[in-house]
Amino acid sequence: MEQALFPSDDVKKRALSFQGRKGILLYIESLTDQKVIQKNIIEPLTRNHSDELDHLFTSVELKRENDLEKGIAALLKGMCLYFLDGHKDFLVIGAKASYVRDISEPENEYVVRGPHNGFVEDLTHNLYAVRKLMESPNLRVRYMHIGRVTQTKVAILYLQDVANPRLIKEVERRLKDISADMLMSPGFIQEFMEDKTFSPFPQILITERPDRTVSNLMDGRVAIMADGDPTALIVPVTLFAFYQSVDDYHSRWMVGSFVRMIRLLSFLVAFQLPAFYIATVSFHPEILPVDLVFRLQGSISHVPFPPLLEVIFLELIFELLRESGIRLPSRVGQTIGIVGGLVIGDAIVRTGLVSYPTTIVVALTAIASFVVPSNEMSGAVRFLRFPLMFFAAMYGYYGISFGLMMISMHLCKLESFGTPYLAPLAPLRLKDMKDTFLRFPIWTLSQRPHDPHPKRMTQETVSRSWKRRDQRKK
């Protein structure tokens, strides 16, 4: 054991005898709780009230082992090893340290109404949050360890009576096929498991909210959680899942549907508006009213660059401001974003580097890209606008049509764990449209979505008082 672990200053070795025989306690100081070791291991050995070594310790995790390689793995997980002279095996005793930050609301998924708690970096606490919301005996949790060096603990969550067995086997197969030395975050898992890694569209939903995770589990989907990261991966998903928010179900269904339609509209605006502006100004000004054409011409004529360079210049400035605002502390980042946007925006317009219409278009595009509840989808939308702008600058509306055709063909071919990415729009399923573009009242959502292929399609959504009232009417 010393040859494998030493020299390392946080590996501790302590001599503790038992019934006159020499014993050695081995543990890693940085991974264990010193109070637990003192109370559950050292004090029982000192008092020595039992003749049986297995009955002496009070730790919940206690087992015998004779494989030294497994002993090394147990040490690296925060366990203690106790070797006793004259015994071929040794005891593995649980004494893991737990350092958990306070539970707070996820910064990327704020809600107006509903729970304000999120996941943390400890897997056990995250599983507790899920089981607290879903006290069902059908909830299954399966553990795996991925990464030859890091040995990251990964949990697979699903409902036994709802989730499709083929989906569960496919998730397990893809996780077992991961061969890597390091697995630091679910982002690694996402790239290893996606159907099309080179697609700009995310095929796995990432969430930091326990309530959103439970909602997807109820629909028959599978959640993947890793120790050390406060997120859950949801599979399979569709394009419309990235535009659904928890707030949609905590508000009136008409208000929730209206807000969702605005989000879906922002998806079109976020990557098409700059391209349509460039094509209109460069190739097709005749579609605009005459007065507006003269106003645009008067503003654009003072700029020495073509519209494409204007938009790209402003887009790059905006991305720099966004990245600097994220990396800096929150108060400083907000100040840099506001002051930098106002000062730089006004200065470049006054100096004639860009025109006022271009500034308005880029600002509207930026606002529309941040309406998306998912950060991964927001990045995909921001990325797609650049090739579409080049098509618009070369061929006008014909170039935009070609670009949109390519994107549509790609979306129609894209799948997430065997589920069409554009479902329920392509293939068309009218029954699943109740929670796609609009959010119908909860009592009408009696059918689970078809895309995860659940074992049970129906779910109870009508209250008993409504049933009694309907019976009285009959």
Side-chain angles (χ1 to χ4, degrees):
M1 297 293 290
E2 289 182 351
Q3 290 176 359
L5 297 171
F6 286 84
S8 183
D9 292 339
D10 62 342
V11 179
K12 302 298 180 181
K13 181 176 66 173
R14 182 167 179 175
L16 293 170
S17 61
F18 176 73
Q19 293 182 347
R21 286 177 292 179
K22 185 179 179 181
I24 296 293
L25 181 67
L26 193 65
Y27 62 92
I28 299 179
E29 184 182 28
S30 56
L31 297 178
T32 53
D33 192 330
Q34 306 302 310
K35 294 181 180 179
V36 173
I37 294 176
Q38 179 68 29
K39 181 180 178 181
N40 296 344
I41 301 176
I42 297 178
E43 290 183 2
L45 281 172
T46 305
R47 291 194 295 264
N48 195 10
H49 293 324
S50 176
D51 295 334
E52 294 290 336
L53 192 60
D54 292 343
H55 299 158
L56 185 65
F57 302 112
T58 58
S59 177
V60 176
E61 298 179 85
L62 180 65
K63 65 177 181 179
R64 286 189 176 272
E65 188 61 68
N66 55 15
D67 189 348
L68 292 181
E69 293 294 334
K70 292 183 179 179
I72 295 173
L75 279 175
L76 296 175
K77 289 181 173 62
M79 312 290 277
C80 297
L81 306 184
Y82 184 66
F83 299 86
L84 187 62
D85 191 20
H87 287 255
K88 293 183 178 180
D89 53 9
F90 55 91
L91 285 178
V92 180
I93 310 167
K96 297 178 183 178
S98 179
Y99 307 102
V100 182
R101 64 177 173 90
D102 294 334
I103 296 175
S104 59
E105 185 173 6
E107 294 185 2
N108 296 325
E109 295 179 273
Y110 278 114
V111 295
V112 179
R113 295 177 60 186
H116 292 273
N117 64 320
F119 290 133
V120 294
E121 284 74 15
D122 185 73
L123 181 59
T124 305
H125 283 72
N126 295 340
L127 294 177
Y128 165 80
V130 173
R131 284 199 175 273
K132 191 68 176 177
L133 291 176
M134 182 188 291
E135 298 179 359
S136 171
N138 293 313
L139 178 60
R140 299 289 187 267
V141 179
R142 293 188 182 179
Y143 291 124
M144 298 179 64
H145 290 85
I146 303 176
R148 288 190 295 267
V149 177
T150 58
Q151 284 291 302
T152 305
K153 189 176 183 180
V154 176
I156 305 173
L157 287 74
Y158 59 91
L159 277 178
Q160 180 69 28
D161 60 333
V162 178
N164 193 309
R166 287 181 296 178
L167 173 61
I168 300 170
K169 290 181 180 179
E170 180 65 17
V171 172
E172 292 179 347
R173 184 191 65 81
R174 296 193 187 190
L175 285 173
K176 289 178 181 178
D177 288 344
I178 296 176
S179 178
D181 291 338
M182 179 179 63
L183 194 74
M184 298 300 296
S185 70
F188 285 55
I189 302 177
Q190 182 180 9
E191 290 200 20
F192 278 119
M193 295 183 66
E194 282 183 335
D195 292 72
K196 299 291 184 182
T197 307
F198 293 100
S199 173
F201 293 96
Q203 297 132 60
I204 297 178
L205 178 65
I206 298 179
T207 180
E208 298 181 38
R209 299 191 61 87
D211 52 348
R212 194 175 188 185
T213 304
V214 170
S215 175
N216 283 278
L217 290 175
M218 290 294 295
D219 288 338
R221 296 182 175 90
V222 176
I224 305 167
M225 306 173 71
D227 197 11
D229 194 274
T231 57
L233 307 181
I234 308 297
V235 294
V237 292
T238 63
L239 173 68
F240 303 101
F242 293 94
Y243 286 86
Q244 296 174 354
S245 173
V246 180
D247 271 330
D248 296 346
Y249 305 94
H250 292 158
S251 57
R252 303 285 295 176
W253 71 271
M254 289 178 288
V255 178
S257 299
F258 175 71
V259 176
R260 183 179 295 182
M261 287 295 296
I262 292 178
R263 289 197 209 102
L264 293 171
L265 181 63
S266 71
F267 169 73
L268 302 176
V269 173
F271 75 96
Q272 291 187 25
L273 183 59
F276 273 100
Y277 169 74
I278 293 171
T280 302
V281 172
S282 303
F283 294 93
H284 312 282
E286 64 275 3
I287 70 168
L288 299 175
V290 178
D291 295 338
L292 182 58
V293 170
F294 284 118
R295 290 179 180 272
L296 289 176
Q297 188 65 30
S299 179
I300 296 173
S301 60
H302 301 288
V303 179
F305 306 111
L308 176 63
L309 294 182
E310 286 186 73
V311 175
I312 291 178
F313 180 60
L314 275 183
E315 288 284 356
L316 293 178
I317 290 178
F318 174 77
E319 291 295 331
L320 289 174
L321 290 173
R322 189 185 68 85
E323 286 296 322
S324 63
I326 293 174
R327 306 293 172 240
L328 291 172
S330 58
R331 296 180 179 178
V332 180
Q334 293 177 0
T335 305
I336 291 295
I338 296 172
V339 176
L342 291 174
V343 173
I344 296 176
D346 183 68
I348 59 178
V349 171
R350 288 181 179 274
T351 53
L353 295 177
V354 297
S355 60
Y356 281 109
T358 305
T359 307
I360 296 172
V361 168
V362 173
L364 288 176
T365 305
I367 294 172
S369 65
F370 285 110
V371 176
V372 188
S374 170
N375 185 48
E376 289 75 23
M377 183 58 71
S378 176
V381 169
R382 294 202 311 272
F383 170 77
L384 284 174
R385 73 172 66 132
F386 287 98
L388 207 61
M389 286 191 297
F390 281 104
F391 280 124
M394 290 187 293
Y395 305 109
Y397 287 162
Y398 298 103
I400 296 177
S401 302
F402 176 76
L404 293 178
M405 286 174 58
M406 296 295 293
I407 294 174
S408 301
M409 291 168 59
H410 174 70
L411 289 174
C412 289
K413 292 179 60 178
L414 198 60
E415 290 185 350
S416 173
F417 286 78
T419 297
Y421 201 64
L422 287 181
L425 187 62
L428 183 63
R429 297 191 187 97
L430 295 178
K431 291 184 178 180
D432 291 348
M433 288 291 185
K434 295 180 180 179
D435 195 19
T436 303
F437 296 101
L438 303 175
R439 201 275 285 177
F440 279 42
I442 296 295
W443 50 268
T444 64
L445 306 179
S446 59
Q447 295 285 328
R448 288 186 171 90
H450 190 271
D451 53 270
H453 304 286
K455 290 197 289 187
R456 290 194 298 110
M457 290 297 299
T458 58
Q459 58 182 346
E460 190 70 25
T461 57
V462 182
S463 65
R464 294 179 181 177
S465 60
W466 282 34
K467 288 183 177 179
R468 288 195 294 268
R469 185 186 64 182
D470 293 340
Q471 290 174 358
R472 287 196 301 267
K473 286 182 178 180
K474 291 180 180 179

